[in-house]
Amino acid sequence: MSPEYAMSGHYSVKSDVYSFGVIVLEIISSQKNWSFDHPDHDLNLLGHAWMLWNKRQPLDILDPTIQDPSCGDQIIRCIHVALLCVQQYPEDRPKMSTVYAMLSYEDIELPEPKEPGFCRESYKKKCDTSVSDLTSVNEVTMTTLGGR
């Protein structure tokens, strides 16, 4: 779900572009964005992909069972396009016709992506709070009035 739809209910064709980018990253990694889990951080899949992109290690997101060194450049291009699609602001995302062109023609130069929307914390991590994290102790007591 695109940030603008989740935050304000605003839906546009750029919301579909965002969803497309999420799906591309999910296919490449064989992980779901909402349930992504990494032992070293609490980022979701988008945040993890963004972190690896900035470390210049984008192929580290690739599902190890589908690694093929002969198509590494094509996979990096798919990750690059996916990150362009999941940028936080709709005006920064490409149109789907542009996405098609970027994936079809390798001679099209791609701009650097900006930080994705909703990339900070994994939904799974938010839901994995223990009962003790959800309770608090206070000094309130309840009594009945009038002997009832």
Side-chain angles (χ1 to χ4, degrees):
M1 180 181 308
S2 66
E4 65 274 10
Y5 183 73
M7 301 302 283
S8 65
H10 179 68
Y11 185 81
S12 72
V13 294
K14 296 295 184 97
S15 301
D16 288 340
V17 172
Y18 183 91
S19 297
F20 178 80
V22 172
I23 289 170
V24 169
L25 291 173
E26 288 180 341
I27 290 169
I28 289 170
S29 67
S30 294
Q31 300 280 334
K32 291 283 188 190
N33 185 45
W34 62 269
S35 64
F36 181 78
D37 187 33
H38 194 279
D40 297 337
H41 57 71
D42 290 343
L43 298 171
N44 62 18
L45 180 61
L46 301 182
H48 184 65
W50 178 245
M51 179 193 70
L52 292 174
W53 181 261
N54 286 314
K55 287 182 170 183
R56 304 291 185 232
Q57 300 170 329
L59 288 176
D60 286 358
I61 199 169
L62 187 61
D63 179 347
T65 63
I66 60 170
Q67 277 191 340
D68 180 3
S70 66
C71 61
D73 289 342
Q74 293 171 331
I75 294 170
I76 291 171
R77 189 167 184 89
C78 288
I79 294 168
H80 192 161
V81 171
L83 288 171
L84 290 170
C85 291
V86 298
Q87 294 177 108
Q88 181 168 358
Y89 300 107
E91 59 270 14
D92 293 332
R93 297 178 210 142
K95 296 176 184 176
M96 277 309 294
S97 58
T98 305
V99 170
Y100 172 78
M102 289 188 291
L103 292 172
S104 298
Y105 306 106
E106 293 180 12
D107 58 333
I108 294 177
E109 192 168 329
L110 304 180
E112 273 301 305
K114 297 176 185 173
E115 186 172 4
F118 293 144
C119 70
R120 293 293 177 196
E121 188 173 356
S122 170
Y123 178 76
K124 184 176 182 180
K125 297 279 185 185
K126 286 183 182 180
C127 294
D128 284 349
T129 54
S130 68
V131 172
S132 63
D133 292 339
L134 300 175
T135 60
S136 63
V137 177
N138 59 35
E139 301 297 323
V140 175
T141 58
M142 301 282 288
T143 60
T144 57
L145 296 175
R148 293 184 184 174

